[in-house]
Amino acid sequence: MKKTFMGVRLKRLREEQRLTQAALAGKLGISLSYLNQLENNQRPLTLPVLLALNSVFGLDVQSFAEDDEARLISDLREALADPALGESIATAELRELALNMPAVGRALVTLNQKYRHAAEQYAAISARLGEDRQAILPSTPFEEVRDFFYLQHNYIAELDEAAETIADRMAFPVGAMTPALASYLESRHGVKVLTDAADALAPGTQRQFDRDARTLRLSPSLQPGQQAFQLATQIAMLELDEAIRAIVAKAKFSSEESRSLARIGLANYFAGALILPYSIFLAEAERRRYDIELLGHRFGVGFETICHRLSTLQRHNARGVPFFFIRVDRAGNISKRQSATDFHFSRAGGTCPLWNVYEAFAQPEKILTQLARMPDERTYLWIARTVSHGRGGYGAPAKTFAIALGCDISYAERVVYSQGIRIDTTLATPIGMGCKVCERSGCPQRAFPPAGRALNIDETRSHFAPYATSP
């Protein structure tokens, strides 16, 4: 038997039984000093003592088993992994809590479950009200920055206009900007661009700026469009730093980490606007009916970059189709979420398995289309396709995401992907914001009962029952 220290549990048992140390030692047939050592974790709990506890108190020996501890440790790790806590808790500390204070551990898990339930209920209420309200519960820095862009309708006028002004003034060649941007950095800022220094960069690093040496190193694995984006990001940090900081200060983020992430996000926004200048890009998008692949060939960038830029075309008096943009992985984790209008993405309830963004993983790099109807009866045209990002080399890991771009059905005729689709709302696939916050009762794909409705025992369906099998 592995050495097991259970001092706190023994103390709790003694308190529950209202026994003194001497009385408990007498019942177990051990000395007072030995019990004292057990309670203070100076001696491990032995099998004979466990059997005595079972004989005297009817105590289930399994309550001291490692399997239960492992389960509680796993629950605690999930409950305390929220970045909003601001502190990482080591596994050794979780094990100590589960081992010596299991009741406290279970209480923390219960509180976390109530916290999540409150977040899900809040998301459901916001969806029913048709509003995108700031969450009353704390967000992570990443979510806080993402919400900032969402509230700006994914358009930052100061940066977009500044980027277009620079692109026009310097007559940057659209679709082949990399050499021109590198020349601009060197002539205007004295920064030399190096692209042959793979060993000089940390693994996974795409861009590294040495302020003292005035050098900018780019990963040689980057495609020309990706190189242009990284060069444009560096220009933002050198020329637009003051403007970016002013935008961040006005937004009143809650932490320095959020402010840092926002500055990076705004620099990236500028980069996209510089290599895809607003007026030229919008004109091409309209002319080609928002054909993403044709736009990618014209501007020399990838599918994801085009989709991202399409979701930002909301300049006053020069608006494009208001798109929603989302990027997810196979597990349903949303890593990018932008919207030029009022589509409501779920913050707490997951996403819908009937949405074609998940079907895209089964048909890599093929563009899928879908008419989808939300619970509020609004219908949208969605396209979805996978994209992969690799670092090159045999056996090197690659990241695969599904990209989804959507718009209200009223704009469908302006988009090439409506070809061959019968634009009829009655034919749309009913989807929702996720099973935990969705009100649809007749969905065959449900993982949880409909939000806000309790099912009685006579109507509970088999796939909601804890131990039921599929019919």
Side-chain angles (χ1 to χ4, degrees):
M1 178 179 174
K2 185 179 178 180
K3 289 183 177 180
T4 305
F5 296 89
M6 298 285 182
V8 175
R9 293 197 189 186
L10 278 175
K11 287 180 182 179
R12 182 179 178 185
L13 172 66
R14 184 164 55 78
E15 290 173 359
E16 289 174 349
Q17 298 294 326
R18 298 182 180 180
L19 296 172
T20 63
Q21 275 192 331
L24 180 58
K27 286 180 176 292
L28 297 178
I30 60 177
S31 68
L32 178 61
S33 61
Y34 181 38
L35 177 60
N36 185 63
Q37 290 175 323
L38 290 174
E39 288 192 355
N40 287 285
N41 285 333
Q42 295 172 352
R43 298 280 292 274
L45 202 62
T46 61
L47 184 57
V49 175
L50 278 173
L51 293 175
L53 287 167
N54 175 261
S55 175
V56 174
F57 299 104
L59 186 68
D60 185 3
V61 176
Q62 291 300 315
S63 66
F64 288 84
E66 288 190 358
D67 286 347
D68 285 343
E69 291 161 22
R71 178 180 296 180
L72 182 55
I73 289 169
S74 177
D75 290 342
L76 283 168
R77 183 181 289 112
E78 181 181 359
L80 300 176
D82 191 338
L85 295 175
E87 187 171 357
S88 177
I89 300 177
T91 300
E93 294 176 291
L94 297 177
R95 186 180 302 279
E96 190 72 17
L97 179 59
L99 181 68
N100 288 314
M101 291 181 281
V104 175
R106 287 191 292 269
L108 288 173
V109 171
T110 299
L111 286 173
N112 179 259
Q113 290 171 343
K114 291 183 177 180
Y115 167 89
R116 292 187 178 189
H117 179 69
E120 290 163 3
Q121 292 290 0
Y122 181 84
I125 292 170
S126 295
R128 290 171 197 156
L129 293 175
E131 300 175 4
D132 186 68
R133 299 185 176 186
Q134 290 278 356
I136 55 174
L137 300 174
S139 299
T140 65
F142 177 77
E143 290 170 333
E144 189 177 8
V145 172
R146 195 165 60 181
D147 287 344
F148 162 75
F149 279 97
Y150 186 83
L151 291 174
Q152 301 301 316
H153 297 286
N154 206 30
Y155 177 71
I156 312 296
E158 305 96 302
L159 300 183
D160 218 307
E161 292 168 4
E164 187 171 33
T165 297
I166 293 174
D168 290 346
R169 185 178 72 242
M170 302 304 300
F172 289 143
V174 172
M177 283 193 181
T178 301
L181 292 174
S183 177
Y184 181 85
L185 276 168
E186 186 165 12
S187 62
R188 187 175 180 88
H189 299 284
V191 174
K192 185 174 182 60
V193 178
L194 305 175
T195 58
D196 57 349
D199 296 338
L201 297 176
T205 302
Q206 297 182 326
R207 170 179 53 85
Q208 186 175 72
F209 178 56
D210 187 328
R211 193 172 296 275
D212 295 329
R214 307 303 288 176
T215 58
L216 178 66
R217 298 184 183 277
L218 298 180
S219 170
S221 66
L222 296 177
Q223 297 297 317
Q226 295 171 318
Q227 291 179 345
F229 184 87
Q230 294 299 331
L231 294 173
T233 298
Q234 192 60 54
I235 291 172
M237 293 179 174
L238 292 171
E239 292 192 21
L240 278 295
D241 183 65
E242 186 176 338
I244 289 174
R245 288 182 181 275
I247 296 171
V248 171
K250 185 178 179 180
K252 297 181 180 179
F253 290 102
S254 63
S255 68
E256 182 55 37
E257 185 177 358
S258 295
R259 288 186 283 274
S260 296
L261 283 173
R263 287 195 292 271
I264 294 171
L266 289 167
N268 289 339
Y269 180 96
F270 173 88
L274 182 60
I275 63 176
L276 302 169
Y278 195 101
S279 298
I280 295 174
F281 184 77
L282 175 60
E284 282 293 302
E286 288 284 350
R287 187 171 73 87
R288 299 178 184 271
R289 295 188 64 201
Y290 295 89
D291 189 313
I292 298 167
E293 291 176 302
L294 290 181
L295 290 171
H297 293 316
R298 170 69 177 89
F299 290 94
V301 295
F303 189 91
E304 182 177 342
T305 302
I306 293 294
C307 290
H308 196 291
R309 184 56 167 150
L310 287 175
S311 71
T312 68
L313 301 180
Q314 293 302 296
R315 179 179 293 178
H316 181 62
N317 293 329
R319 299 185 191 276
V321 170
F323 283 107
F324 327 110
F325 169 75
I326 191 169
R327 188 180 78 174
V328 302
D329 63 18
R330 291 180 184 272
N333 299 307
I334 299 175
S335 51
K336 289 186 178 180
R337 180 186 66 203
Q338 278 94 30
S339 177
T341 182
D342 58 354
F343 184 80
H344 304 291
F345 297 103
S346 173
R347 286 173 170 76
T351 49
C352 182
L354 297 180
W355 196 5
N356 69 340
V357 67
Y358 297 107
E359 178 64 24
F361 288 109
Q363 303 182 58
E365 298 189 6
K366 179 180 179 181
I367 293 180
L368 306 180
T369 60
Q370 181 185 44
L371 284 185
R373 186 173 68 253
M374 294 297 288
D376 63 2
E377 298 305 319
R378 294 186 65 176
T379 303
Y380 302 93
L381 170 66
W382 283 98
I383 67 164
R385 203 202 84 168
T386 59
V387 296
S388 295
H389 306 288
R391 298 176 184 172
Y394 177 74
K399 298 183 293 184
T400 300
F401 300 97
I403 302 296
L405 196 71
C407 66
D408 191 277
I409 195 173
S410 61
Y411 298 97
E413 295 297 335
R414 293 172 60 184
V415 180
V416 69
Y417 302 103
S418 64
Q419 290 181 186
I421 297 178
R422 184 180 171 188
I423 306 300
D424 184 345
T425 58
T426 64
L427 301 176
T429 302
I431 69 170
M433 292 171 56
C435 292
K436 289 187 176 181
V437 295
C438 182
E439 299 175 357
R440 297 191 188 280
S441 59
C443 178
Q445 194 66 50
R446 272 200 164 278
F448 301 94
R453 177 170 175 244
L455 300 179
N456 64 47
I457 194 168
D458 294 325
E459 68 176 352
T460 301
R461 298 176 185 174
S462 61
H463 53 287
F464 298 146
Y467 299 101
T469 57
S470 298

